[in-house]
Short mmCIF file of all heavy atoms in Angstrom, two decimals:
data_model
loop_
_atom_site.label_atom_id
_atom_site.label_comp_id
_atom_site.label_asym_id
_atom_site.label_seq_id
_atom_site.Cartn_x
_atom_site.Cartn_y
_atom_site.Cartn_z
N MET A 86 0.84 -1.18 0.00
CA MET A 86 0.00 0.00 0.00
C MET A 86 0.89 1.24 0.00
O MET A 86 1.78 1.37 0.81
CB MET A 86 -0.89 -0.03 1.23
CG MET A 86 -1.88 1.06 1.24
SD MET A 86 -3.57 0.60 1.62
CE MET A 86 -3.59 -1.15 1.75
N LYS A 87 0.61 2.12 -0.94
CA LYS A 87 1.45 3.31 -1.07
C LYS A 87 0.86 4.53 -0.38
O LYS A 87 1.60 5.38 0.08
CB LYS A 87 1.69 3.61 -2.54
CG LYS A 87 2.52 2.56 -3.20
CD LYS A 87 3.02 3.01 -4.52
CE LYS A 87 3.91 1.93 -5.07
NZ LYS A 87 4.82 2.38 -6.05
N PHE A 88 -0.47 4.64 -0.34
CA PHE A 88 -1.05 5.82 0.30
C PHE A 88 -2.47 5.55 0.77
O PHE A 88 -3.09 4.57 0.37
CB PHE A 88 -1.00 7.04 -0.62
CG PHE A 88 -1.81 6.90 -1.88
CD1 PHE A 88 -3.12 7.37 -1.94
CD2 PHE A 88 -1.26 6.34 -3.03
CE1 PHE A 88 -3.86 7.26 -3.11
CE2 PHE A 88 -2.00 6.23 -4.20
CZ PHE A 88 -3.30 6.68 -4.24
N SER A 89 -2.96 6.45 1.62
CA SER A 89 -4.32 6.38 2.16
C SER A 89 -5.06 7.65 1.80
O SER A 89 -4.49 8.74 1.82
CB SER A 89 -4.29 6.25 3.69
OG SER A 89 -3.62 5.09 4.07
N ILE A 90 -6.33 7.50 1.50
CA ILE A 90 -7.22 8.64 1.31
C ILE A 90 -8.12 8.65 2.53
O ILE A 90 -8.84 7.68 2.79
CB ILE A 90 -8.05 8.49 0.03
CG1 ILE A 90 -7.13 8.44 -1.19
CG2 ILE A 90 -9.07 9.64 -0.08
CD1 ILE A 90 -7.83 8.08 -2.48
N ILE A 91 -8.06 9.74 3.29
CA ILE A 91 -8.82 9.83 4.54
C ILE A 91 -9.89 10.89 4.37
O ILE A 91 -9.60 12.04 4.02
CB ILE A 91 -7.89 10.16 5.72
CG1 ILE A 91 -6.83 9.06 5.83
CG2 ILE A 91 -8.70 10.30 7.01
CD1 ILE A 91 -5.73 9.35 6.81
N ILE A 92 -11.14 10.50 4.65
CA ILE A 92 -12.28 11.40 4.47
C ILE A 92 -12.97 11.59 5.81
O ILE A 92 -13.55 10.65 6.35
CB ILE A 92 -13.29 10.81 3.47
CG1 ILE A 92 -12.59 10.51 2.14
CG2 ILE A 92 -14.48 11.74 3.29
CD1 ILE A 92 -13.41 9.66 1.20
N PRO A 93 -12.91 12.80 6.40
CA PRO A 93 -13.68 13.06 7.61
C PRO A 93 -15.14 13.32 7.22
O PRO A 93 -15.41 13.96 6.20
CB PRO A 93 -13.02 14.32 8.19
CG PRO A 93 -12.45 15.01 7.00
CD PRO A 93 -12.09 13.93 6.01
N ALA A 94 -16.07 12.82 8.02
CA ALA A 94 -17.48 12.98 7.65
C ALA A 94 -18.38 13.00 8.88
O ALA A 94 -18.08 12.37 9.89
CB ALA A 94 -17.91 11.82 6.75
N LYS A 95 -19.46 13.73 8.76
CA LYS A 95 -20.53 13.73 9.76
C LYS A 95 -21.83 14.05 9.03
O LYS A 95 -21.96 15.12 8.43
CB LYS A 95 -20.28 14.74 10.87
CG LYS A 95 -21.35 14.67 11.95
CD LYS A 95 -21.03 15.56 13.14
CE LYS A 95 -22.10 15.38 14.21
NZ LYS A 95 -21.78 16.19 15.39
N ASN A 96 -22.76 13.12 9.06
CA ASN A 96 -24.06 13.28 8.41
C ASN A 96 -23.92 13.64 6.93
O ASN A 96 -24.51 14.59 6.44
CB ASN A 96 -24.92 14.31 9.15
CG ASN A 96 -25.27 13.84 10.55
OD1 ASN A 96 -25.45 12.65 10.79
ND2 ASN A 96 -25.37 14.76 11.48
N GLU A 97 -23.14 12.85 6.22
CA GLU A 97 -22.90 13.07 4.80
C GLU A 97 -23.60 12.02 3.93
O GLU A 97 -23.13 11.69 2.84
CB GLU A 97 -21.39 13.05 4.52
CG GLU A 97 -20.65 14.23 5.10
CD GLU A 97 -21.04 15.55 4.44
OE1 GLU A 97 -21.51 15.55 3.28
OE2 GLU A 97 -20.88 16.58 5.10
N GLU A 98 -24.71 11.51 4.41
CA GLU A 98 -25.46 10.49 3.68
C GLU A 98 -25.72 10.87 2.23
O GLU A 98 -25.61 10.03 1.33
CB GLU A 98 -26.79 10.23 4.39
CG GLU A 98 -27.68 9.21 3.74
CD GLU A 98 -28.94 8.95 4.53
OE1 GLU A 98 -29.18 9.60 5.57
OE2 GLU A 98 -29.71 8.08 4.10
N ALA A 99 -26.02 12.11 1.97
CA ALA A 99 -26.34 12.56 0.61
C ALA A 99 -25.11 12.63 -0.29
O ALA A 99 -25.24 12.63 -1.52
CB ALA A 99 -27.03 13.92 0.65
N ASN A 100 -23.91 12.69 0.30
CA ASN A 100 -22.70 12.94 -0.49
C ASN A 100 -21.66 11.82 -0.47
O ASN A 100 -20.89 11.70 -1.42
CB ASN A 100 -22.03 14.23 -0.01
CG ASN A 100 -22.94 15.41 -0.13
OD1 ASN A 100 -23.50 15.66 -1.19
ND2 ASN A 100 -23.10 16.15 0.96
N ILE A 101 -21.61 11.04 0.59
CA ILE A 101 -20.48 10.11 0.77
C ILE A 101 -20.44 9.06 -0.34
O ILE A 101 -19.36 8.69 -0.81
CB ILE A 101 -20.48 9.46 2.17
CG1 ILE A 101 -19.14 8.80 2.46
CG2 ILE A 101 -21.63 8.49 2.36
CD1 ILE A 101 -18.00 9.75 2.66
N GLY A 102 -21.57 8.59 -0.79
CA GLY A 102 -21.59 7.59 -1.86
C GLY A 102 -21.00 8.12 -3.15
O GLY A 102 -20.19 7.45 -3.80
N HIS A 103 -21.38 9.35 -3.51
CA HIS A 103 -20.86 9.97 -4.73
C HIS A 103 -19.35 10.22 -4.60
O HIS A 103 -18.60 10.01 -5.56
CB HIS A 103 -21.56 11.29 -5.03
CG HIS A 103 -23.03 11.14 -5.25
ND1 HIS A 103 -23.56 10.45 -6.31
CD2 HIS A 103 -24.08 11.59 -4.52
CE1 HIS A 103 -24.88 10.47 -6.24
NE2 HIS A 103 -25.21 11.16 -5.16
N CYS A 104 -18.93 10.65 -3.43
CA CYS A 104 -17.51 10.91 -3.19
C CYS A 104 -16.70 9.62 -3.36
O CYS A 104 -15.69 9.59 -4.07
CB CYS A 104 -17.33 11.47 -1.78
SG CYS A 104 -15.63 11.75 -1.29
N LEU A 105 -17.16 8.55 -2.73
CA LEU A 105 -16.44 7.28 -2.82
C LEU A 105 -16.50 6.69 -4.22
O LEU A 105 -15.51 6.12 -4.70
CB LEU A 105 -16.98 6.30 -1.78
CG LEU A 105 -16.69 6.71 -0.34
CD1 LEU A 105 -17.46 5.83 0.63
CD2 LEU A 105 -15.21 6.67 -0.04
N ASP A 106 -17.63 6.83 -4.90
CA ASP A 106 -17.72 6.36 -6.29
C ASP A 106 -16.69 7.06 -7.17
O ASP A 106 -16.06 6.45 -8.03
CB ASP A 106 -19.12 6.60 -6.86
CG ASP A 106 -20.16 5.63 -6.33
OD1 ASP A 106 -19.78 4.57 -5.77
OD2 ASP A 106 -21.36 5.93 -6.45
N SER A 107 -16.50 8.36 -6.94
CA SER A 107 -15.52 9.13 -7.73
C SER A 107 -14.10 8.64 -7.47
O SER A 107 -13.31 8.47 -8.40
CB SER A 107 -15.61 10.61 -7.39
OG SER A 107 -16.83 11.14 -7.82
N ILE A 108 -13.79 8.40 -6.22
CA ILE A 108 -12.46 7.93 -5.87
C ILE A 108 -12.21 6.54 -6.43
O ILE A 108 -11.20 6.27 -7.07
CB ILE A 108 -12.26 7.93 -4.34
CG1 ILE A 108 -12.23 9.37 -3.81
CG2 ILE A 108 -10.98 7.18 -3.95
CD1 ILE A 108 -12.34 9.48 -2.31
N LEU A 109 -13.16 5.64 -6.21
CA LEU A 109 -12.99 4.25 -6.62
C LEU A 109 -13.11 4.07 -8.13
O LEU A 109 -12.69 3.05 -8.67
CB LEU A 109 -13.98 3.37 -5.88
CG LEU A 109 -13.82 3.39 -4.35
CD1 LEU A 109 -14.95 2.63 -3.68
CD2 LEU A 109 -12.47 2.84 -3.93
N GLY A 110 -13.66 5.07 -8.81
CA GLY A 110 -13.80 5.00 -10.25
C GLY A 110 -12.56 5.41 -11.03
O GLY A 110 -12.50 5.27 -12.24
N VAL A 111 -11.56 5.91 -10.33
CA VAL A 111 -10.32 6.32 -10.97
C VAL A 111 -9.57 5.08 -11.44
O VAL A 111 -9.50 4.08 -10.74
CB VAL A 111 -9.45 7.15 -10.00
CG1 VAL A 111 -8.08 7.43 -10.58
CG2 VAL A 111 -10.15 8.44 -9.63
N ASP A 112 -9.00 5.16 -12.62
CA ASP A 112 -8.24 4.04 -13.18
C ASP A 112 -6.86 3.99 -12.53
O ASP A 112 -5.88 4.50 -13.06
CB ASP A 112 -8.13 4.21 -14.70
CG ASP A 112 -7.46 3.02 -15.35
OD1 ASP A 112 -7.45 1.93 -14.75
OD2 ASP A 112 -6.94 3.18 -16.47
N PHE A 113 -6.83 3.40 -11.33
CA PHE A 113 -5.59 3.29 -10.56
C PHE A 113 -5.66 1.98 -9.80
O PHE A 113 -6.72 1.61 -9.30
CB PHE A 113 -5.46 4.48 -9.59
CG PHE A 113 -4.09 4.65 -9.02
CD1 PHE A 113 -3.11 5.33 -9.73
CD2 PHE A 113 -3.77 4.14 -7.78
CE1 PHE A 113 -1.84 5.49 -9.20
CE2 PHE A 113 -2.50 4.28 -7.25
CZ PHE A 113 -1.53 4.96 -7.96
N ASP A 114 -4.57 1.28 -9.69
CA ASP A 114 -4.53 -0.02 -9.03
C ASP A 114 -5.01 0.10 -7.58
O ASP A 114 -4.36 0.73 -6.75
CB ASP A 114 -3.09 -0.55 -9.08
CG ASP A 114 -2.94 -1.93 -8.48
OD1 ASP A 114 -3.92 -2.49 -7.96
OD2 ASP A 114 -1.81 -2.45 -8.55
N ARG A 115 -6.13 -0.54 -7.29
CA ARG A 115 -6.77 -0.45 -5.96
C ARG A 115 -5.88 -1.01 -4.85
O ARG A 115 -6.03 -0.64 -3.70
CB ARG A 115 -8.12 -1.18 -6.02
CG ARG A 115 -8.94 -1.12 -4.76
CD ARG A 115 -9.47 0.29 -4.52
NE ARG A 115 -10.42 0.31 -3.43
CZ ARG A 115 -10.11 0.54 -2.16
NH1 ARG A 115 -8.88 0.79 -1.81
NH2 ARG A 115 -11.04 0.54 -1.23
N SER A 116 -4.96 -1.89 -5.20
CA SER A 116 -4.06 -2.45 -4.17
C SER A 116 -3.01 -1.44 -3.72
O SER A 116 -2.31 -1.68 -2.74
CB SER A 116 -3.38 -3.71 -4.69
OG SER A 116 -2.46 -3.40 -5.72
N GLN A 117 -2.92 -0.32 -4.41
CA GLN A 117 -1.92 0.70 -4.08
C GLN A 117 -2.41 1.73 -3.07
O GLN A 117 -1.63 2.54 -2.59
CB GLN A 117 -1.46 1.41 -5.35
CG GLN A 117 -0.79 0.49 -6.34
CD GLN A 117 0.47 -0.13 -5.77
OE1 GLN A 117 1.36 0.57 -5.29
NE2 GLN A 117 0.55 -1.45 -5.81
N TYR A 118 -3.70 1.72 -2.75
CA TYR A 118 -4.23 2.71 -1.81
C TYR A 118 -5.40 2.14 -1.02
O TYR A 118 -5.98 1.12 -1.39
CB TYR A 118 -4.65 3.99 -2.54
CG TYR A 118 -5.85 3.84 -3.44
CD1 TYR A 118 -7.11 4.21 -3.00
CD2 TYR A 118 -5.73 3.35 -4.75
CE1 TYR A 118 -8.22 4.08 -3.84
CE2 TYR A 118 -6.82 3.23 -5.58
CZ TYR A 118 -8.07 3.59 -5.11
OH TYR A 118 -9.15 3.46 -5.93
N GLU A 119 -5.71 2.81 0.07
CA GLU A 119 -6.87 2.47 0.88
C GLU A 119 -7.71 3.73 1.07
O GLU A 119 -7.18 4.85 1.01
CB GLU A 119 -6.45 1.90 2.23
CG GLU A 119 -5.71 2.89 3.11
CD GLU A 119 -5.22 2.30 4.42
OE1 GLU A 119 -5.66 1.20 4.80
OE2 GLU A 119 -4.39 2.94 5.07
N VAL A 120 -8.99 3.53 1.29
CA VAL A 120 -9.89 4.65 1.54
C VAL A 120 -10.44 4.48 2.95
O VAL A 120 -11.02 3.44 3.28
CB VAL A 120 -11.04 4.71 0.52
CG1 VAL A 120 -11.97 5.87 0.83
CG2 VAL A 120 -10.49 4.82 -0.90
N ILE A 121 -10.24 5.50 3.78
CA ILE A 121 -10.67 5.46 5.17
C ILE A 121 -11.64 6.62 5.39
O ILE A 121 -11.34 7.77 5.07
CB ILE A 121 -9.48 5.61 6.13
CG1 ILE A 121 -8.47 4.49 5.88
CG2 ILE A 121 -9.95 5.62 7.59
CD1 ILE A 121 -7.15 4.69 6.61
N VAL A 122 -12.80 6.32 5.96
CA VAL A 122 -13.76 7.35 6.34
C VAL A 122 -13.76 7.42 7.86
O VAL A 122 -13.94 6.41 8.55
CB VAL A 122 -15.18 7.03 5.82
CG1 VAL A 122 -16.20 8.02 6.39
CG2 VAL A 122 -15.21 7.05 4.30
N ILE A 123 -13.50 8.62 8.38
CA ILE A 123 -13.58 8.86 9.82
C ILE A 123 -14.92 9.52 10.07
O ILE A 123 -15.15 10.67 9.69
CB ILE A 123 -12.44 9.78 10.32
CG1 ILE A 123 -11.06 9.26 9.87
CG2 ILE A 123 -12.52 9.93 11.84
CD1 ILE A 123 -10.68 7.91 10.40
N ASP A 124 -15.82 8.78 10.69
CA ASP A 124 -17.17 9.29 10.93
C ASP A 124 -17.26 9.84 12.35
O ASP A 124 -16.96 9.15 13.32
CB ASP A 124 -18.21 8.19 10.75
CG ASP A 124 -19.60 8.73 10.96
OD1 ASP A 124 -20.11 9.40 10.06
OD2 ASP A 124 -20.15 8.52 12.06
N ASN A 125 -17.66 11.08 12.45
CA ASN A 125 -17.73 11.76 13.74
C ASN A 125 -19.15 11.83 14.29
O ASN A 125 -19.73 12.89 14.45
CB ASN A 125 -17.13 13.16 13.66
CG ASN A 125 -15.64 13.12 13.50
OD1 ASN A 125 -15.11 13.58 12.51
ND2 ASN A 125 -14.93 12.53 14.44
N GLY A 126 -19.73 10.65 14.54
CA GLY A 126 -21.02 10.59 15.22
C GLY A 126 -22.21 10.89 14.34
O GLY A 126 -23.18 11.51 14.81
N SER A 127 -22.18 10.46 13.10
CA SER A 127 -23.33 10.70 12.21
C SER A 127 -24.59 10.06 12.77
O SER A 127 -24.56 8.98 13.36
CB SER A 127 -23.06 10.11 10.82
OG SER A 127 -22.06 10.83 10.16
N SER A 128 -25.71 10.74 12.54
CA SER A 128 -27.01 10.20 12.94
C SER A 128 -27.77 9.69 11.71
O SER A 128 -28.95 9.37 11.81
CB SER A 128 -27.83 11.27 13.67
OG SER A 128 -28.03 12.40 12.83
N ASP A 129 -27.09 9.62 10.58
CA ASP A 129 -27.70 9.12 9.35
C ASP A 129 -26.95 7.87 8.90
O ASP A 129 -26.27 7.23 9.68
CB ASP A 129 -27.72 10.21 8.27
CG ASP A 129 -26.34 10.68 7.85
OD1 ASP A 129 -25.34 10.07 8.29
OD2 ASP A 129 -26.25 11.64 7.07
N ARG A 130 -27.05 7.51 7.65
CA ARG A 130 -26.47 6.28 7.12
C ARG A 130 -25.04 6.44 6.60
O ARG A 130 -24.53 5.55 5.92
CB ARG A 130 -27.36 5.73 6.01
CG ARG A 130 -28.73 5.30 6.48
CD ARG A 130 -29.56 4.64 5.38
NE ARG A 130 -28.82 3.53 4.76
CZ ARG A 130 -28.45 3.48 3.47
NH1 ARG A 130 -28.75 4.46 2.65
NH2 ARG A 130 -27.79 2.45 3.00
N THR A 131 -24.38 7.52 6.91
CA THR A 131 -23.03 7.75 6.40
C THR A 131 -22.09 6.55 6.61
O THR A 131 -21.49 6.07 5.64
CB THR A 131 -22.41 9.02 7.02
OG1 THR A 131 -23.21 10.15 6.66
CG2 THR A 131 -20.99 9.25 6.55
N PRO A 132 -21.96 6.01 7.83
CA PRO A 132 -21.03 4.89 8.02
C PRO A 132 -21.41 3.65 7.21
O PRO A 132 -20.54 3.01 6.62
CB PRO A 132 -21.10 4.60 9.52
CG PRO A 132 -21.67 5.81 10.14
CD PRO A 132 -22.55 6.43 9.11
N SER A 133 -22.68 3.32 7.15
CA SER A 133 -23.08 2.10 6.43
C SER A 133 -22.89 2.26 4.93
O SER A 133 -22.47 1.31 4.24
CB SER A 133 -24.51 1.70 6.77
OG SER A 133 -25.43 2.69 6.40
N ILE A 134 -23.16 3.43 4.39
CA ILE A 134 -22.94 3.68 2.96
C ILE A 134 -21.45 3.55 2.64
O ILE A 134 -21.06 2.93 1.66
CB ILE A 134 -23.48 5.05 2.53
CG1 ILE A 134 -25.01 5.07 2.63
CG2 ILE A 134 -23.02 5.41 1.12
CD1 ILE A 134 -25.62 6.45 2.49
N ALA A 135 -20.61 4.14 3.49
CA ALA A 135 -19.17 4.07 3.26
C ALA A 135 -18.69 2.62 3.28
O ALA A 135 -17.88 2.22 2.43
CB ALA A 135 -18.44 4.90 4.31
N ARG A 136 -19.18 1.83 4.21
CA ARG A 136 -18.81 0.41 4.26
C ARG A 136 -19.28 -0.32 3.01
O ARG A 136 -18.56 -1.15 2.45
CB ARG A 136 -19.38 -0.25 5.50
CG ARG A 136 -18.66 0.10 6.76
CD ARG A 136 -19.16 -0.70 7.97
NE ARG A 136 -18.53 -0.23 9.17
CZ ARG A 136 -19.08 0.65 10.00
NH1 ARG A 136 -20.28 1.14 9.77
NH2 ARG A 136 -18.42 1.04 11.07
N GLU A 137 -20.50 -0.04 2.58
CA GLU A 137 -21.05 -0.67 1.37
C GLU A 137 -20.17 -0.39 0.15
O GLU A 137 -20.07 -1.22 -0.75
CB GLU A 137 -22.47 -0.19 1.10
CG GLU A 137 -23.50 -0.69 2.08
CD GLU A 137 -24.84 0.03 1.96
OE1 GLU A 137 -25.05 0.78 0.98
OE2 GLU A 137 -25.68 -0.16 2.85
N LYS A 138 -19.56 0.79 0.13
CA LYS A 138 -18.72 1.18 -1.00
C LYS A 138 -17.29 0.65 -0.87
O LYS A 138 -16.47 0.87 -1.75
CB LYS A 138 -18.67 2.71 -1.13
CG LYS A 138 -20.01 3.35 -1.40
CD LYS A 138 -20.49 3.05 -2.80
CE LYS A 138 -21.79 3.77 -3.10
NZ LYS A 138 -22.22 3.54 -4.48
N GLY A 139 -16.99 -0.03 0.23
CA GLY A 139 -15.69 -0.64 0.40
C GLY A 139 -14.68 0.16 1.20
O GLY A 139 -13.51 -0.24 1.29
N ALA A 140 -15.11 1.25 1.81
CA ALA A 140 -14.19 2.05 2.63
C ALA A 140 -14.05 1.42 4.01
O ALA A 140 -14.97 0.78 4.52
CB ALA A 140 -14.70 3.48 2.77
N LEU A 141 -12.89 1.61 4.60
CA LEU A 141 -12.67 1.24 5.99
C LEU A 141 -13.24 2.40 6.82
O LEU A 141 -12.90 3.56 6.57
CB LEU A 141 -11.18 1.08 6.25
CG LEU A 141 -10.74 0.75 7.67
CD1 LEU A 141 -11.34 -0.58 8.12
CD2 LEU A 141 -9.24 0.70 7.74
N VAL A 142 -14.11 2.11 7.77
CA VAL A 142 -14.78 3.15 8.53
C VAL A 142 -14.36 3.09 9.99
O VAL A 142 -14.41 2.03 10.62
CB VAL A 142 -16.32 3.03 8.42
CG1 VAL A 142 -17.01 4.09 9.28
CG2 VAL A 142 -16.76 3.14 6.97
N HIS A 143 -13.93 4.23 10.51
CA HIS A 143 -13.64 4.38 11.94
C HIS A 143 -14.68 5.36 12.47
O HIS A 143 -14.78 6.49 11.98
CB HIS A 143 -12.24 4.94 12.17
CG HIS A 143 -11.16 4.00 11.78
ND1 HIS A 143 -10.77 2.95 12.57
CD2 HIS A 143 -10.40 3.94 10.66
CE1 HIS A 143 -9.80 2.28 11.95
NE2 HIS A 143 -9.57 2.87 10.79
N GLU A 144 -15.42 4.93 13.48
CA GLU A 144 -16.43 5.81 14.06
C GLU A 144 -15.88 6.45 15.33
O GLU A 144 -15.51 5.76 16.28
CB GLU A 144 -17.71 5.03 14.33
CG GLU A 144 -18.33 4.55 13.03
CD GLU A 144 -19.68 3.90 13.21
OE1 GLU A 144 -20.60 4.55 13.73
OE2 GLU A 144 -19.78 2.71 12.84
N LYS A 145 -15.80 7.75 15.31
CA LYS A 145 -15.31 8.55 16.43
C LYS A 145 -16.38 9.59 16.74
O LYS A 145 -16.53 10.56 16.01
CB LYS A 145 -13.99 9.26 16.08
CG LYS A 145 -12.89 8.33 15.62
CD LYS A 145 -12.43 7.46 16.75
CE LYS A 145 -11.29 6.57 16.28
NZ LYS A 145 -10.91 5.62 17.29
N PRO A 146 -17.14 9.42 17.81
CA PRO A 146 -18.30 10.29 18.05
C PRO A 146 -17.99 11.66 18.63
O PRO A 146 -18.83 12.24 19.30
CB PRO A 146 -19.13 9.46 19.02
CG PRO A 146 -18.14 8.62 19.74
CD PRO A 146 -17.06 8.31 18.74
N GLU A 147 -16.82 12.21 18.35
CA GLU A 147 -16.55 13.56 18.79
C GLU A 147 -17.44 14.53 18.03
O GLU A 147 -17.93 14.21 16.95
CB GLU A 147 -15.07 13.92 18.57
CG GLU A 147 -14.13 13.21 19.53
CD GLU A 147 -13.76 11.81 19.04
OE1 GLU A 147 -13.62 11.60 17.84
OE2 GLU A 147 -13.63 10.93 19.90
N PRO A 148 -17.61 15.75 18.49
CA PRO A 148 -18.59 16.67 17.88
C PRO A 148 -18.18 17.35 16.58
O PRO A 148 -19.01 17.95 15.93
CB PRO A 148 -18.82 17.72 18.97
CG PRO A 148 -17.55 17.69 19.78
CD PRO A 148 -17.07 16.27 19.73
N THR A 149 -16.92 17.27 16.17
CA THR A 149 -16.52 17.98 14.94
C THR A 149 -15.91 17.00 13.95
O THR A 149 -15.57 15.88 14.30
CB THR A 149 -15.49 19.09 15.24
OG1 THR A 149 -14.30 18.46 15.71
CG2 THR A 149 -16.00 20.07 16.26
N ILE A 150 -15.73 17.46 12.70
CA ILE A 150 -15.11 16.61 11.70
C ILE A 150 -13.71 17.11 11.34
O ILE A 150 -13.31 17.14 10.21
CB ILE A 150 -15.99 16.47 10.44
CG1 ILE A 150 -16.25 17.81 9.77
CG2 ILE A 150 -17.26 15.76 10.74
CD1 ILE A 150 -16.84 17.69 8.39
N ALA A 151 -12.96 17.46 12.35
CA ALA A 151 -11.60 17.95 12.12
C ALA A 151 -10.64 16.77 12.04
O ALA A 151 -10.84 15.75 12.61
CB ALA A 151 -11.19 18.87 13.26
#
């Protein structure tokens, strides 16, 4: 693995799928990178959508997405 793409998110149900589709749709060897979503306590489907798209999800319920 050469690099990681880290996406902070909170209540991004409407956007996270499109974001991950764009990243995963790039013609680049998938074994060379990982996609990690750091979810900061979403109350919507953000974490489950990210997992469905193949991202590694870490749930951290702090109040901000910094």
Side-chain angles (χ1 to χ4, degrees):
M86 186 132 355
K87 293 194 176 202
F88 63 94
S89 299
I90 298 170
I91 301 171
I92 304 167
K95 184 173 183 178
N96 295 327
E97 291 294 336
E98 179 177 3
N100 301 308
I101 195 70
H103 299 295
C104 177
L105 293 170
D106 286 343
S107 293
I108 292 168
L109 299 173
V111 172
D112 185 21
F113 195 83
D114 183 357
R115 183 69 171 92
S116 69
Q117 298 298 306
Y118 68 98
E119 64 183 347
V120 179
I121 302 170
V122 173
I123 308 298
D124 182 77
N125 289 118
S127 290
S128 59
D129 62 8
R130 295 185 53 242
T131 299
S133 62
I134 293 169
R136 284 187 186 96
E137 289 168 11
K138 298 289 183 177
L141 178 61
V142 177
H143 292 280
E144 295 186 59
K145 304 292 182 186
E147 288 84 36
T149 65
I150 60 167

